[in-house]
Amino acid sequence: MSVKDRYAVFGNPVKHSKSPVIHTAFAAQGGQNRHYRAVRVEWGGFADAARGFFAGGGAGLNITVPFKEEAFRFAERLTDRAMRAGAVNTLSRCEDGCIEGDNTDGIGLVRDIVANLGWRVQGRRLLILGAGGAARGVLEPLLRENPRELLIVNRTPERAEQLVHEFSDIAPLAGGGYALLGDRQFDLVVNATSASLAGELPDLPSSLLTEHSCCYDLVYGAEPTPFMRWAALHAAWAVADGLGMLVEQAAQSFYIWRRVRPETQSVIRQLRESMESA
Ligand code: ATR
């Protein structure tokens, strides 16, 4: 195996990362033997570790919590979407030797919603819950799908207002606190808060969904998240977690590195089965 086939994900913690399994499955589809490993990087040690990885001939890195902002600063060049996201989850060494940072999270979400789940974004009323890093990372690709409207609500209203300010040149959007929801209804609700990780649920009015509404939680797990349970209880038409997004963002990284688009459905299925049987 040549050094140009070396890839890794840097994070902390990283033990439970599914990226090595996903990328190994992608590589196997083309009969490729690539080396992809998970590396736990110490706090404060990201730049040194990344520099060492690329100096040693590594070809590409994925970056997960808590280093995505540091990776953003580390990159020598940024794609437009990484610039917008303010965070990088994919670093690649380009032909000219430059280390480029990209963010594939938003593309991964849109591909899962539109291609895998068959839900529409175009022309729909879209609600985003949360205004942290996860929301920022998915806003641009969602806006480019031309929803009829996009509202961001957040516990701290100023963070939602800030996102509106930063993204309103792409398409019109609005944002503020949960009070903005009133008795309004939405076709697609994306939970981009970290509430599910703590077993919590944002404060949502029971009138929010129609019988045609779709609900997506960026968080995934063996069990439905509190938001997914809430959506099912309020008769959402369809509910999904972020496992498909995880695989699709990895597929986009794979494409950036190898210029080959891997097949994702079988990998999503395989992960779902192993998660449920664990
Ligand atoms: P991430 O990178 O995962 O987005 P973050 O930047 O810390 O992490 O943002 C977490 C988001 O989840 C924020 O929008 C946060 O709301 P605040 O900005 O008001 O803190 C939101 N969040 C976390 N727990 C929440 C809860 N229990 N209810 C509603 N929103 C919650």
Side-chain angles (χ1 to χ4, degrees), residues 9-226:
V9 55
F10 280 9
N12 188 347
V14 80
K15 208 167 70 192
H16 300 294
S17 169
K18 301 197 186 306
S19 294
V21 173
I22 297 171
H23 279 276
T24 302
F26 288 165
Q29 289 173 11
Q32 296 167 17
N33 180 19
R34 293 166 60 225
H35 187 66
Y36 188 109
R37 60 199 185 103
V39 180
R40 182 175 171 277
V41 172
E42 293 307 321
W43 289 77
F46 177 81
D48 281 347
R51 215 171 285 120
F53 177 81
F54 284 109
L61 269 186
N62 282 135
I63 298 91
T64 187
V65 180
F67 299 120
K68 289 186 187 182
E69 283 82 12
E70 242 183 285
F72 175 86
R73 291 190 292 274
F74 176 82
E76 292 161 350
R77 192 164 62 210
L78 292 163
T79 62
D80 285 349
R81 55 179 180 241
M83 206 109 75
R84 288 271 186 187
V88 156
N89 75 342
T90 306
L91 285 171
S92 330
R93 200 217 321 265
C94 300
E95 302 260 294
D96 62 2
C98 190
I99 307 295
E100 184 169 275
D102 203 342
N103 191 313
T104 64
D105 286 334
I107 292 182
L109 172 66
V110 168
R111 201 158 285 149
D112 193 37
I113 286 179
V114 176
N116 296 341
L117 297 166
W119 303 354
R120 269 183 51 206
V121 178
Q122 192 182 14
R124 298 295 164 110
R125 298 165 297 178
L126 177 51
L127 172 65
I128 312 262
L129 310 174
R136 177 184 290 275
V138 300
L139 262 180
E140 181 187 354
L142 283 173
L143 282 169
R144 296 214 187 273
E145 289 294 305
N146 292 320
R148 178 167 11 137
E149 64 165 301
L150 190 151
L151 176 67
I152 310 168
V153 291
N154 195 45
R155 202 170 48 179
T156 313
E158 296 75 28
R159 292 183 85 188
E161 287 158 12
Q162 176 64 28
L163 288 182
V164 171
H165 177 69
E166 287 179 39
F167 286 83
S168 58
D169 62 315
I170 301 177
L173 73 166
Y178 281 83
L180 285 182
L181 294 177
D183 58 0
R184 301 190 53 198
Q185 298 189 308
F186 292 86
D187 305 306
L188 173 59
V189 183
V190 175
N191 182 17
T193 73
S194 53
S196 292
L197 294 173
E200 294 168 2
L201 180 68
D203 190 14
L204 300 172
S206 57
S207 53
L208 193 66
L209 306 181
T210 73
E211 60 191 5
H212 302 294
S213 301
C214 298
C215 293
Y216 194 103
D217 199 330
L218 299 193
V219 169
Y220 64 87
E223 303 287 332
T225 66

